[in-house]
Amino acid sequence: MTKLKNVRLVIANLLLKFHFTGIFMIDICATNHAEVNCCCKERGFYMEKLNGEALRTIDEIVARHKNQAGPCIEMLHEVQNELGYIPFEAMEKIAEATGSSAAEVYGVVMFYAQFTTEPKGKHVINVCLGTACYVKGAQQLIDRVEKLTGAKVNRTSEDGLFSLDATRCLGACGLAPVCIIDGKYYGNALASSDFTNEIRRIVREEKKAGAKA
Ligand code: FES
């Protein structure tokens, strides 16, 4: 039984590594992930190599938590806070420090909706696609946000300013449809203009800041 479990973990680790290194995509990616429009990024596979500072940050976080109880979640939270996402290198280091496999750490990352393996934009917009919000027009909100920000659903806009995430029920169904902009909740977001106006305001501010820079 243990042997079977080990074999399953080895296979899961290999699949995980291939997922991140793009080995399964050699036949479709002619750019070797080197160009801005690499098809892999389009498909949601984030390929950027981490710089030395990010790797040092991960090492410090792992060293700080490795002897505590339940260290994996603590480390993941801190890595996400520091880097904005959880790169594969962090999962490998956390796995090594906690005596688990990278596949097990990846399983934890996938289980909790607040963790992401892709860098987020400067502004994160969540649109709830739970049942109550969906029937009250959440899809129209997603279309609206895509138009205003240039970000596709569950992706980041090319300028890196906006991430648009579709989420599960946010626990405020009475206010459906519900959205969040940078942590602030907006209820009745289709009927009220607050939500759309706030996005327009941010777009304006960012354009102004870009023009000055
Ligand atoms: S379904 Fe959207 S808050 Fe519950």
Side-chain angles (χ1 to χ4, degrees):
M1 201 62 189
T2 313
K3 210 171 173 185
L4 183 66
K5 193 180 167 205
N6 286 342
V7 171
R8 282 213 305 258
L9 280 176
V10 168
I11 293 171
N13 265 321
L14 284 172
L15 288 173
L16 175 61
K17 192 115 189 165
F18 289 165
H19 169 86
F20 275 88
T21 54
I23 287 170
F24 284 157
M25 291 175 285
I26 284 172
D27 59 327
I28 56 158
C29 181
T31 72
N32 198 24
H33 320 300
E35 292 176 9
V36 176
N37 292 326
C38 167
C39 61
C40 302
K41 192 167 181 199
E42 185 60 31
R43 287 157 48 103
F45 295 96
Y46 195 74
M47 311 302 297
E48 190 181 70
K49 283 232 179 311
L50 288 185
N51 62 28
E53 197 186 329
L55 289 171
R56 268 194 303 282
T57 301
I58 294 169
D59 284 336
E60 280 166 23
I61 292 169
V62 170
R64 199 160 47 243
H65 292 287
K66 73 176 176 191
N67 295 322
Q68 294 174 358
C72 180
I73 294 278
E74 288 290 331
M75 290 177 196
L76 289 172
H77 270 299
E78 248 192 80
V79 169
Q80 170 119 342
N81 284 345
E82 288 294 327
L83 304 181
Y85 75 112
I86 298 169
F88 177 66
E89 288 86 343
M91 290 186 235
E92 279 190 318
K93 285 172 188 284
I94 290 171
E96 202 182 321
T98 56
S100 21
S101 68
E104 284 169 320
V105 178
Y106 181 70
V108 176
V109 171
M110 289 296 108
F111 184 79
Y112 292 103
Q114 73 264 40
F115 294 137
T116 175
T117 56
E118 227 185 294
K120 291 289 174 195
K122 185 173 172 191
H123 304 282
V124 179
I125 301 172
N126 303 95
V127 177
C128 177
L129 272 190
T131 310
C133 289
Y134 190 78
V135 297
K136 292 265 184 101
Q139 185 57 50
Q140 286 177 61
L141 286 170
I142 286 194
D143 296 343
R144 191 181 291 176
V145 177
E146 283 186 344
K147 223 178 200 170
L148 288 169
T149 64
K152 296 279 173 225
V153 67
N154 294 328
R155 292 280 182 275
T156 298
S157 56
E158 290 209 340
D159 55 14
L161 287 177
F162 294 95
S163 290
L164 167 58
D165 290 342
T167 64
R168 292 177 224 140
C169 177
L170 292 165
C173 310
L175 298 174
V178 181
C179 301
I180 304 174
I181 303 175
D182 294 335
K184 185 171 173 199
Y185 278 65
Y186 292 81
N188 297 315
L190 200 56
S192 141
S193 53
D194 291 358
F195 172 69
T196 311
N197 286 345
E198 177 59 7
I199 297 174
R200 288 205 174 103
R201 187 194 66 76
I202 295 173
V203 170
R204 262 197 320 272
E205 294 294 315
E206 291 295 351
K207 264 195 192 145
K208 241 193 258 168
K212 273 188 201 156

